[in-house]
């Protein structure tokens, strides 16, 4: 199955992606995670991306698309994948469609995580990520005052772009550039919305139910 997850920053895409991809036995491909790995690895791509990420802006399409093309060409993505954080604007969506057509395939479904802006800000402000296994936590909702990952014992960190000012810019960028994807995919008749309020497990249950008709 070929799935895209969309929704504002903080909607829970990364959190749900880890469970959905594991339930469906497909690789989770998160452009944000790939950029962050490049930033911490000090690569040229990381140096370039960091500038944009720190401002809350999108990394230029050219760079992002080349990176996604490489990742989708890997063997494990041949029979399916879950994209988290890509596409992020209509030009990226159009190129993705062409790229998949070249591979002789197409997206099955685009899952939109629907959640209001107040909740998104609450989620982003308390987000913590494990520096070892990448698992996502929340200081309040998961009671993570100790900054230790319950899954692997690694240390948790707060992302640089989860500061109040950058959060505001990222939400603006979402409205201007990413939200138009919703009508793009509605027109393509592959958009499915899921209520992303409530506990993580409940949202995963709703997401799996919404995806059930597309499971091959
Ligand atoms: P969030 O989890 O808050 O939605 P991500 O981890 O997906 O954020 O992305 C973090 C940052 O990485 C973005 O603000 C942007 O700078 C960059 N980025 C991620 N995916 C893309 C993309 N598809 N196109 C351009 N920039 C991207
Ligand atoms: P995104 O990838 O869309 O930016 P994340 O999955 O990183 O979002 O989630 C943002 C924050 O919200 C994290 O701290 C995560 O633990 C928390 N979170 C995710 N889903 C829920 C939920 N259903 N209820 C409460 N907190 C959540």
């Amino acid at each position: 199955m070929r799935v895209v997850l969309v929704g504002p920053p903080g909607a829970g895409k990364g959190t749900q992606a880890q469970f959905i991809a594991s339930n469906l036995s497909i690789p989770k491909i998160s452009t944000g995670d790939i950029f962050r790995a490049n930033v911490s690895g000090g690569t040229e791509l990381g140096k370039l991306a960091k500038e944009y990420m720190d401002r809350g802006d999108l990394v230029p399409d050219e760079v992002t698309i080349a990176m996604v093309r490489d990742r989708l060409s890997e063997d494990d993505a041949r029979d399916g994948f879950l994209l988290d954080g890509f596409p992020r604007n209509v030009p990226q969506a159009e190129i993705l469609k062409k790229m998949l057509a070249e591979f002789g395939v197409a997206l099955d479904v685009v899952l939109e995580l629907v959640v209001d802006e107040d909740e998104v800000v609450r989620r982003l402000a308390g987000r913590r990520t494990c520096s070892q296994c990448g698992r996502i936590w929340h200081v309040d909702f998961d009671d993570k005052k100790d900054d230790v990952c319950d899954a692997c014992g690694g240390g948790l960190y707060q992302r640089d772009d989860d500061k109040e000012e950058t959060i505001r810019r990222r939400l603006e960028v979402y409205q201007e550039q990413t939200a138009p994807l919703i009508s793009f995919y509605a027109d393509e008749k592959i958009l499915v919305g899921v209520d992303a309020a409530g506990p993580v497990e409940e949202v995963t249950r709703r997401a799996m139910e919404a995806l059930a008709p597309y499971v091959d």
Side-chain angles (χ1 to χ4, degrees):
M1 183 147 94
R2 295 174 182 85
V3 193
V4 163
L5 266 187
V6 289
K13 299 183 299 299
T15 302
Q16 294 304 328
Q18 52 198 12
F19 298 121
I20 297 170
S22 143
N23 285 345
L24 297 175
S25 304
I26 50 179
K28 155 179 116 80
I29 301 179
S30 158
T31 42
D33 286 352
I34 306 176
F35 282 133
R36 279 184 292 279
N38 276 276
V39 171
S40 53
T43 68
E44 285 307 310
L45 172 64
K47 281 178 206 155
L48 186 147
K50 188 174 186 330
E51 225 184 277
Y52 296 90
M53 294 169 84
D54 284 350
R55 288 202 301 263
D57 287 333
L58 296 185
V59 178
D61 285 349
E62 217 179 74
V63 175
T64 307
I65 289 161
M67 182 177 91
V68 170
R69 180 183 281 278
D70 285 351
R71 181 62 188 89
L72 289 180
S73 306
E74 286 178 35
D75 278 353
D76 67 335
R78 204 175 346 170
D79 296 329
F81 52 76
L82 187 154
L83 279 169
D84 156 28
F86 183 93
R88 206 69 158 226
N89 57 27
V90 172
Q92 290 183 5
E94 277 165 347
I95 296 207
L96 175 65
K97 190 176 173 182
K98 276 197 205 130
M99 199 189 296
L100 293 178
E102 277 170 36
F103 298 152
V105 298
L107 288 178
D108 293 297
V109 57
V110 174
L111 193 70
E112 180 196 0
L113 296 185
V114 182
V115 57
D116 67 50
E117 188 159 317
D118 287 349
E119 178 63 11
V120 150
V121 172
R122 232 185 335 264
R123 289 184 184 183
L124 286 175
R127 170 159 58 189
R128 297 291 182 275
T129 309
C130 177
S131 52
Q132 211 160 281
C133 72
R135 177 128 178 195
I136 304 155
W137 301 95
H138 192 282
V139 266
D140 301 322
F141 304 135
D142 296 309
D143 197 16
K144 291 260 91 286
K145 307 281 183 286
D146 57 358
D147 275 345
V148 174
C149 176
D150 289 343
C152 77
L156 305 186
Y157 72 95
Q158 180 171 31
R159 279 170 41 175
D160 285 344
D161 58 349
D162 280 345
K163 284 177 294 200
E164 199 186 322
E165 212 181 274
T166 322
I167 288 177
R168 220 173 304 129
R169 174 67 192 146
R170 284 160 61 213
L171 292 173
E172 258 171 40
V173 168
Y174 177 78
Q175 287 308 334
E176 285 163 13
Q177 303 190 46
T178 311
L181 285 180
I182 307 299
S183 45
F184 177 90
Y185 284 125
D187 290 347
E188 300 254 309
K189 311 255 180 298
I190 52 172
L191 183 77
V192 175
V194 163
D195 176 9
V200 170
E201 311 76 55
E202 181 59 24
V203 179
T204 308
R205 198 191 53 74
R206 284 182 214 136
M208 292 311 298
E209 224 172 73
L211 294 175
Y214 303 90
V215 175
D216 42 29

